[in-house]
Each structure stands twice: as C-alpha cells, then as structure tokens.
Amino acid sequence: GIQVEQSPPDLILQEGANSTLRCNFSDSVNNLQWFHQNPWGQLINLFYIPSGTKQNGRLSATTVATERYSLLYISSSQTTDSGVYFCAVRETSGSRLTFGEGTQLTVNP
Amino acid sequence: EPEVTQTPSHQVTQMGQEVILRCVPISNHLYFYWYRQILGQKVEFLVSFYNNEISEKSEIFDDQFSVERPDGSNFTLKIRSTKLEDSAMYFCASSVSPFIQYFGAGTRLSVL
C-alpha cells in the first residue's frame, strides 16, 4: 500500500514563529487532506488539497502531486496551534485514507 | 455547519463484552467510514461503506467487527467480543463523494 511520511516528528516553537510541515507519499493520490488533532483528540479538517495551493488565515498548504509531497505552513503561531498535524492520502483506487505518523507541534508562550 | 456526531464520547467495557459505537453522518453524505487510533499512534482505516454494503476493509477489520446502517441516519460499528487491544479512539467519517472525508469527534473505547 501507499506510504506516507511526515517530518519533522516533533516541533517546538515560540509563539509568533513560522513553521513548515512536510508530507511525502509514495504513489499517485486522488485526495490529500491535512488535519489538526487537538488535545481533546478531535480531528479538525484543515485542507483538502490534492494539488495546488490554498490559504486559510495563518495557514496555507501546497501540494506538488507530480513530486509526491505536500507542505503545510503555519505563520505567526499561537499556543492554540499546539497538537498533532496529520497528512492523509487516498490512492487512485480504493476509498481509504492512509495517514502519516503526524507532527507533534508545541507552541510555547 | 453540519457535523458528524458520535456517541458515546467514552465507553468503558469489560473484556469479552460486545460494544456498539454509534455515528450520525452528515445528512446528505453517501460514503461512511470507521477509523481507529491507538493511543499515541497514527489513525488507521477500518472499513468503508457505500450503498448499504462494505466497499473496502482493512486487515484489522476481522470477524469480530461488523458495521450496519440500521436506518436512514445512523451508522454503527459493533465489536462482538472486545479484547484489551481494542482499546483505542474510534472515529467515524462521512463524505458526499469519495473525496473530502469529515470526521466525528471520536469515541474513546477502554477495555478493562
């Protein structure tokens, strides 16, 4: 099956700093989603981005499908951004999302 | 904004007991999914359901598991005889088409 690798596994920032999270995948995909898992365990949809660039406030994402990677940018980070960020992809056949291991982000005040 | 609703938020059960986890998908969605996340690990796919039948399942989804859409709104996951290793967060998701999947808040299952 498809492999999804996220980096870095852990990231500690001071409030106000910017960061880039990366997701590499091993095969062509029809769907790529970024999620934020908050401290209560909820998975919050951030972006649906199988290709191209999208922005939502301080967050933006870019997927280069031909090179099989996606980047999530967080600017001016806040303590509420803390949590685990997951990338998940769906292969061209099948319905399942395959998740990466996640990036644990800690934003300190 | 419509959301996927899961109940209960936390379920505690004894090993060997049957549990049913419930989900109400977003109302116009046609595809339904269950995932699980063992504490500290990544989210893993269990099963997808479309047109009243299983469309895909993972190796984890063995004979102990079953899914059902008993009426027009609910989607359930049953574990027949729970084991300690079934302790996890279980997420239900739904989608209009097999593209953007929307996740519920999860049910934390604790097997004692």
Side-chain angles (χ1 to χ4, degrees), chain B residues 43-111:
Chain B
V43 179
E44 301 172 289
F45 170 79
L46 292 177
V47 66
S48 59
F49 192 86
Y50 170 70
N51 202 24
N52 285 318
E53 61 182 25
I54 291 173
S55 50
E56 188 178 356
K57 61 182 180 179
S58 72
E59 318 69 47
I60 304 167
F61 194 86
D62 60 20
D63 292 343
Q64 291 285 82
F65 293 90
S66 62
V67 289
E68 192 177 36
R69 188 157 163 79
D71 54 42
S73 60
N74 289 286
F75 180 52
T76 62
L77 174 70
K78 182 193 289 187
I79 309 175
R80 287 192 182 80
S81 177
T82 51
K83 308 181 200 116
L84 295 176
E85 54 265 37
D86 292 328
S87 294
M89 180 79 97
Y90 288 81
F91 292 102
C92 174
S94 69
S95 61
V96 172
S97 64
F99 291 106
I100 309 175
Q101 295 184 23
Y102 294 88
F103 282 69
T107 292
R108 184 167 299 283
L109 177 65
S110 300
V111 182

Side-chain angles (χ1 to χ4, degrees), chain A residues 10-14 77-79 81-83 104-108:
Chain A
D10 297 280
L11 187 58
I12 300 175
L13 302 174
Q14 287 299 120
S77 56
Q78 300 174 358
T79 55
D81 294 331
S82 296
Q104 172 77 58
L105 175 65
T106 302
V107 181
N108 292 320

Side-chain angles (χ1 to χ4, degrees), chain A residues 31 33 37 90 95-97, chain B residues 35 37 48 56 98-99 101:
Chain A
N31 176 7
Q33 292 181 244
Q37 187 166 42
R90 185 176 73 86
S95 56
R96 71 176 72 187
L97 282 178
Chain B
Y35 293 80
Q37 184 183 31
S48 59
E56 188 178 356
F99 291 106
Q101 295 184 23

Side-chain angles (χ1 to χ4, degrees), chain A residues 74-96:
Chain A
I74 305 174
S75 64
S76 304
S77 56
Q78 300 174 358
T79 55
T80 51
D81 294 331
S82 296
V84 183
Y85 288 80
F86 287 105
C87 164
V89 302
R90 185 176 73 86
E91 298 177 70
T92 51
S93 63
S95 56
R96 71 176 72 187

